[in-house]
């Protein structure tokens, strides 16, 4: 009953805001709507489609043809009640995350029972209890439903709502060890490309938990095959390949430099044009390849944590991030609430999130409407926001490592006959 109340309250908040006069204001915010997820741009594409005009003739639409076809069906079926679809999808995402966290906590319980004999005697109080296993999935659900970032993402009617839904479906299928995880991952890749990094946790999950390289390879092959089929279907809709330039090409080359909460726009505005290729390669390597291999090696035994880490880094460094991406990642962190005691930057990160969330719209108003600030002020806020996210994920990962070390070698360590403490510098 209490869980139903949580879902009801989450739905009520979203429905109230999405039908209120604030919806348009929220949907226009650059922190929420980007060129990639704006429903306004989807509406423009659908209008061009209705007029018989090729929707990719201009530079406003960046959804794939298959997604545009799906959105067209939704508009025709639900009409003026389309906002209910976004609310229902968000509720379904929260439930999928709850199921995913529940299964993940079961896996942690089995791992803990299997390795308990190898743990140090003075580390027994670090073991998770039945209460921890039961509460973490509920916290995941609650954080997603009542996180301002995810609420505004839903109210703004961004297509990130659907991306989060399929990402949550992928995580649930991943934790259940189903090859079906390949399909939602292929759909998410076709929408925003960067989730291609999740092929690593998909492969490692079957290697670690199923002890099968055949299933691991089959999962990756299935995902690539589904992605290829989706891309081919997109081609067959118009018998033209130039949609690739408006989707993947737009994501990778970053031609639209309107301000957002990311880091790309400011650097590309300030730099000389002949350095553009260097910056493009540097930034895209940073968000795709740079962290993938070391994180995959270090956290290969925990694909769920690896997937969350990659999603977090993508939300920080991708070319067109939004609050919906960040809110989704934040809702996964309660899976590791047992690590919060190890976190060293918790107060700093909390303050940064609070201050930058308030300052962002304020500085934007001073810059655009009042004229008493400039781009440097707004980028300073987005840079602090990104730094807070970096501190948070590094703190979580280091806390995970520190807890592993304490479980095996004990909590009390001595250096030169004095108590020593493992700290993040």
């Amino acid at each position: 009953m209490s869980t139903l109340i949580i879902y009801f309250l989450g739905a009520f908040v979203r429905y109230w805001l999405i039908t209120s006069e604030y919806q348009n204001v929220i949907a226009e915010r650059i922190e929420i709507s980007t060129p990639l997820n704006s429903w306004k741009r989807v509406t423009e594409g659908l209008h061009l489609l209705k007029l018989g005009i090729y929707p990719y003739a201009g530079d406003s639409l960046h959804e794939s043809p298959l997604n545009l076809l799906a959105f067209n069906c939704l508009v025709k079926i639900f009409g003026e009640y389309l906002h209910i679809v976004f609310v229902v999808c968000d509720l379904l995402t929260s439930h999928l995350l709850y199921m995913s966290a529940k299964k993940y906590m079961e896996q942690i319980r089995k791992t803990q029972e299997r390795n308990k004999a190898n743990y140090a005697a003075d580390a027994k109080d670090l073991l998770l209890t039945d209460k921890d296993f039961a509460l973490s999935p509920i916290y995941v659900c609650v954080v997603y439903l009542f996180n301002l970032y995810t609420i505004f993402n839903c109210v703004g009617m961004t297509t990130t709502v659907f991306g989060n839904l399929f990402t949550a479906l992928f995580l649930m299928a991943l934790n259940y060890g189903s090859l079906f995880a390949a399909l939602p991952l292929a759909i998410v890749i076709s929408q925003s490309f960067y989730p291609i990094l999740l092929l690593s946790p998909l492969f490692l999950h079957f290697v670690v938990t199923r002890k099968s390289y055949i299933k691991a390879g089959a999962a990756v092959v299935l995902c690539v095959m589904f992605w290829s089929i989706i891309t081919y279907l997109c081609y067959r809709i118009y018998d033209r390949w130039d949609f690739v330039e408006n989707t993947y090409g737009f994501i990778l080359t970053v031609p639209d430099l309107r301000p957002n909460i990311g880091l790309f726009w400011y650097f590309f505005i300030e730099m000389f044009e002949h350095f553009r290729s260097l910056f493009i390669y540097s930034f895209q390597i940073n968000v795709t390849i740079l962290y993938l291999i070391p994180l995959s090696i270090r956290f290969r035994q925990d694909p769920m944590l690896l997937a969350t880490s990659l999603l977090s880094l993508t939300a920080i460094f991708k070319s067109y991030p939004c609050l919906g991406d960040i809110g989704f990642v934040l809702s996964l962190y309660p899976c590791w609430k047992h690590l919060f005691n190890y976190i060293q930057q918790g107060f700093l990160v909390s303050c940064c999130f609070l201050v930058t969330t308030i300052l962002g719209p304020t500085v934007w108003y001073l810059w655009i409407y009042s004229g008493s600030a400039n781009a440097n002020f707004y980028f300073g806020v987005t840079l602090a926001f990104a730094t807070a996210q970096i501190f948070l994920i590094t703190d979580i990962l280091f806390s995970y490592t520190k807890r592993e070390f304490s479980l095996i070698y004990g909590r009390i360590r001595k250096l030169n006959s004095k108590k020593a403490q493992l700290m993040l510098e």
Side-chain angles (χ1 to χ4, degrees), residues 139-388:
Y139 288 161
V140 167
C141 180
V142 170
V143 171
Y144 186 86
L145 286 175
F146 299 102
N147 186 337
L148 284 178
Y149 298 159
T150 52
I151 290 175
F152 287 157
N153 180 62
C154 177
V155 174
M157 296 178 65
T158 68
T159 59
T160 304
V161 170
F162 303 107
N164 287 346
L165 173 63
F166 284 107
T167 305
L169 183 59
F170 161 74
L171 291 176
M172 189 190 74
L174 179 71
N175 283 305
Y176 276 85
S178 172
L179 289 175
F180 173 74
L183 178 58
L185 179 56
I187 295 173
V188 177
I189 293 173
S190 70
Q191 182 186 34
S192 56
F193 181 74
Y194 290 115
I196 195 172
L197 300 177
L198 298 178
L199 286 174
S200 175
L202 176 64
F203 178 84
L204 291 173
H205 177 82
F206 289 98
V207 172
V208 173
T209 62
R210 303 295 178 177
K211 309 296 182 183
S212 174
Y213 283 95
I214 296 177
K215 285 188 176 180
V220 174
V221 170
L222 275 175
C223 183
V224 174
M225 184 181 70
F226 286 138
W227 183 23
S228 301
I229 292 173
I230 292 172
T231 304
Y232 178 73
L233 291 176
C234 290
Y235 161 74
R236 290 298 302 166
I237 291 174
Y238 300 111
D239 286 328
R240 298 174 63 172
W241 283 107
D242 53 352
F243 75 90
V244 175
E245 182 180 351
N246 284 61
T247 52
Y248 300 135
F250 184 84
I251 294 170
L252 295 176
T253 59
V254 201
D256 192 326
L257 299 181
R258 298 177 190 182
N260 53 57
I261 60 173
L263 304 176
F264 275 70
W265 65 274
Y266 185 83
F267 285 95
F268 284 92
I269 287 176
E270 294 294 327
M271 72 175 184
F272 294 108
E273 187 62 25
H274 55 274
F275 286 122
R276 181 176 177 83
S277 296
L278 174 63
F279 273 68
I280 285 288
Y281 288 127
S282 300
F283 275 65
Q284 297 294 3
I285 288 173
N286 178 66
V287 70
T288 54
I289 302 174
L290 190 61
Y291 308 104
L292 177 62
I293 296 176
L295 286 177
S296 298
I297 294 174
R298 176 59 188 86
F299 299 104
R300 61 189 181 278
Q301 298 295 330
D302 197 334
M304 180 65 173
L305 179 60
L306 174 60
T308 303
S309 304
L310 295 174
L311 286 171
S312 180
L313 292 170
T314 299
I316 299 169
F317 296 116
K318 68 192 294 188
S319 52
Y320 297 101
C322 68
L323 291 182
D325 301 318
I326 298 162
F328 182 86
V329 174
L330 290 177
S331 65
L332 293 172
Y333 285 142
C335 287
W336 299 277
K337 73 181 187 68
H338 54 280
L339 302 177
F340 292 171
N341 290 333
Y342 290 95
I343 289 180
Q344 301 174 14
Q345 313 291 340
F347 178 74
L348 177 62
V349 169
S350 301
C351 289
C352 281
F353 270 103
L354 177 62
V355 172
T356 53
T357 301
I358 296 173
L359 273 183
T362 305
V363 174
W364 175 261
Y365 177 84
L366 293 175
W367 175 24
I368 301 299
Y369 298 101
S370 178
S372 56
N374 55 41
N376 296 324
F377 287 76
Y378 189 76
F379 178 70
V381 174
T382 61
L383 184 61
F385 188 54
T387 303

Side-chain angles (χ1 to χ4, degrees), residues 393-411:
I393 185 60
T394 53
D395 229 358
I396 291 290
L397 295 180
F398 186 77
S399 298
Y400 180 89
T401 303
K402 186 156 57 171
R403 180 175 179 271
E404 279 189 329
F405 182 88
S406 298
L407 284 172
I408 301 298
Y409 298 102
R411 303 183 63 180

Side-chain angles (χ1 to χ4, degrees), residues 25-45:
V25 177
I26 294 172
E28 293 295 325
R29 291 301 310 172
I30 60 171
E31 298 90 351
I32 297 165
S33 294
T34 70
L36 288 177
N37 71 357
S38 172
W39 186 254
K40 184 177 181 180
R41 290 179 179 247
V42 172
T43 304
E44 292 177 4

